[in-house]
Amino acid sequence: MKNLPFGRPMIGDEERRAVLAVLDGPTLVHGPRSHEFEASFADYTQAPHAVSVSSCTAGMHLVWFSIGLGPGDEVVVPAETHTATAHAVELTGATPVFVDADSPAGNVTIAGIEAAITPRTRGIAVVHYLGEPVDMAPVVELARSKELFLLEDCALAIGTYIQGVHAGLVGDAGCFSFYPVKHMTTAEGGMVITRHADLAERLTRQRAFGVDRTPGERTVPGVYDVTMLGFNYRMNEIQAAIGIEQLVRLPAFLSRRRENFLVLLDELTGLEGIAILPASEGSLQSSYYCLAAILAEPLAKRRIELVEALRSKGIGTSVYYPSPVPHLAYYRQKYGFDLMSFPAATRLSGASIALPVGPHLEPDDMRFIGHAMRTATEELLG
Ligand SMILES: *Cc1c(COP(=O)(O)O)cnc(C)c1O
């Protein structure tokens, strides 16, 4: 039987050698590799500043913490996202104000964001859903006019561009994830990019306890002062060594994703009962994280059977995301959201299947998946 998982980390000899070289040396944290990885990532995205962190979630929490977000403040957050986008706000004591996924690609719209703004709003978090860019120009204008901090959750947006600018640089800060099934991995890990030198400096201090000098800057080893509150959100040298190698291979990963997506799109176009979430090319450029098939009724009710039929042929799938964040128990209980709210996000969570297009797969695999989808949906529709 075939084995086509939804995601599989692309770890090769380069990564293995790089990790062993770290283990053979004296420095596991605070070393040259995290700086090299930051420089390479900055170069790749054309970011003026890149700060490595232990995860995307840590990066987002760190950013909100660094700008002093706290109780009484509100941040506009998409309903259809990873819980991390909302948790990062919630962890500071501030309140996430959720916005439905009204655009055809499952993103928030400017109208939705505008309707969520109150006198307490201090920031906007946008998420490039499945790597498809948010239409940022009106969001940037709104954020400027109201002096709101604009954070881009770029966990699925390595390779996403907005008018030629890499995602994460349009707003005030962009946070990336190197979790195993994302576009590239460091096992766990993240990166924050920003145009603001002062913010980058604060993030660098506060990801490491708020100390005033790094080990390299200390004249007497072990002697430092602490000038602000901070976390331990650093990336270690093993992660950074993997990241450096992954970044070299990233262009090949991205072009394979695009190729796979287009082959699978071709296979599925016109299939009864399913619609495909659009992924755009050109001035708004998708990173092709996956292909999301939205099932129409009566197929939508039988989504689990479809997932099972694909699984029986060795095809892995996923759901992005299992539930709108405000419907997750923590948020529902705390803020009292009812399950009829956020209908667009509810439909994406309840009626979509994410199909794999990652670089671990070949165009021939896409034809196999397309065929399996055709057979299974025809059977289910009787
Ligand atoms: C995966 C994901 C995250 C979390 O990333 P971590 O690196 O695991 O913290 C955050 N936001 C979105 C949109 C994601 O898909």
Side-chain angles (χ1 to χ4, degrees):
M1 194 175 86
K2 289 210 186 256
N3 177 24
L4 310 176
F6 179 77
R8 184 195 290 145
M10 303 289 283
I11 300 298
D13 287 342
E14 299 88 342
E15 287 82 357
R16 274 184 214 102
R17 268 197 295 273
V19 167
L20 289 176
V22 174
L23 295 176
D24 284 339
T27 312
L28 298 181
V29 189
H30 288 302
R33 285 174 180 88
S34 60
H35 296 298
E36 185 186 335
F37 185 33
E38 288 170 345
S40 311
F41 199 83
D43 188 55
Y44 183 82
T45 53
Q46 293 295 296
H49 308 280
V51 180
S52 61
V53 285
S54 52
S55 70
C56 180
T57 309
M60 293 192 289
H61 182 210
L62 183 62
V63 167
W64 291 127
F65 181 82
S66 277
I67 67 155
L69 196 76
D73 296 331
E74 292 177 359
V75 173
V76 178
V77 173
E80 190 65 1
T81 181
H82 192 291
T83 193
T85 324
H87 276 6
V89 172
E90 188 78 12
L91 279 166
T92 67
T95 304
V97 176
F98 294 102
V99 172
D100 206 2
D102 285 330
S103 96
N107 275 318
V108 292
T109 63
I110 185 64
I113 295 173
E114 270 169 347
I117 303 274
T118 77
R120 290 164 174 259
T121 310
R122 284 210 46 210
I124 301 171
V126 296
V127 177
H128 304 293
Y129 181 64
L130 306 180
E132 174 68 9
V134 170
D135 181 13
M136 290 297 284
V139 184
V140 169
E141 204 180 296
L142 177 70
R144 285 226 178 96
S145 74
K146 303 227 178 249
E147 292 181 35
L148 305 175
F149 190 93
L150 179 51
L151 181 143
E152 295 175 69
D153 179 340
C154 298
L156 303 181
I158 302 183
T160 295
Y161 289 85
I162 296 130
Q163 257 83 42
V165 176
H166 200 286
L169 293 173
V170 180
D172 295 300
C175 299
F176 294 81
S177 172
F178 307 127
Y179 183 75
V181 298
K182 314 266 161 142
H183 292 75
M184 56 176 271
T185 189
T186 60
E188 295 270 17
M191 191 75 77
V192 183
I193 62 175
T194 178
R195 290 172 282 112
H196 307 301
D198 52 342
L199 178 65
E201 165 72 14
R202 279 185 78 81
L203 296 173
T204 304
R205 299 290 171 202
Q206 292 186 304
R207 76 173 163 187
F209 311 112
V211 300
D212 64 342
R213 62 212 110 149
T214 63
E217 291 162 350
R218 293 173 196 164
T219 42
V220 182
V223 173
Y224 57 81
D225 200 0
V226 171
T227 54
M228 49 184 116
L229 210 50
F231 306 95
N232 179 354
Y233 276 172
R234 286 183 305 252
M235 173 178 280
N236 67 48
E237 290 288 286
I238 300 169
Q239 295 167 298
I242 300 172
I244 292 164
E245 300 304 330
Q246 289 271 294
L247 205 47
V248 173
R249 301 168 68 195
L250 182 65
F253 293 167
L254 288 173
S255 63
R256 173 56 67 79
R257 278 184 183 277
R258 175 177 177 276
E259 185 186 6
N260 282 345
F261 183 97
L262 294 176
V263 172
L264 187 53
L265 178 65
D266 193 47
E267 289 287 325
L268 299 180
T269 299
L271 213 72
E272 197 191 328
I274 72 161
I276 310 294
L277 271 203
S280 53
E281 290 262 292
S283 64
L284 292 179
Q285 177 66 51
S286 170
S287 66
Y288 297 108
Y289 177 67
C290 64
L291 186 146
I294 315 296
L295 311 179
E297 293 300 355
L299 210 48
K301 269 195 205 66
R302 306 184 69 181
R303 178 170 67 162
I304 294 168
E305 289 167 77
L306 179 55
V307 167
E308 286 300 334
L310 295 172
R311 200 205 325 257
S312 74
K313 293 184 171 139
I315 299 165
T317 61
S318 192
V319 176
Y320 283 82
Y321 291 87
S323 166
V325 177
H327 294 180
L328 296 170
Y330 172 84
Y331 288 97
R332 210 173 64 232
Q333 283 158 17
K334 179 163 181 184
Y335 297 105
F337 292 112
D338 82 72
L339 293 174
M340 302 303 282
S341 54
F342 309 104
T346 302
R347 194 171 119 72
L348 285 174
S349 288
S352 71
I353 296 185
L355 297 169
V357 301
H360 59 299
L361 302 176
E362 314 258 336
D364 263 349
D365 298 325
M366 298 298 115
R367 292 182 195 103
F368 180 80
I369 295 171
H371 184 78
M373 278 287 285
R374 183 172 301 272
T375 320
T377 51
E378 276 169 8
E379 247 164 51
L380 287 170
L381 289 171

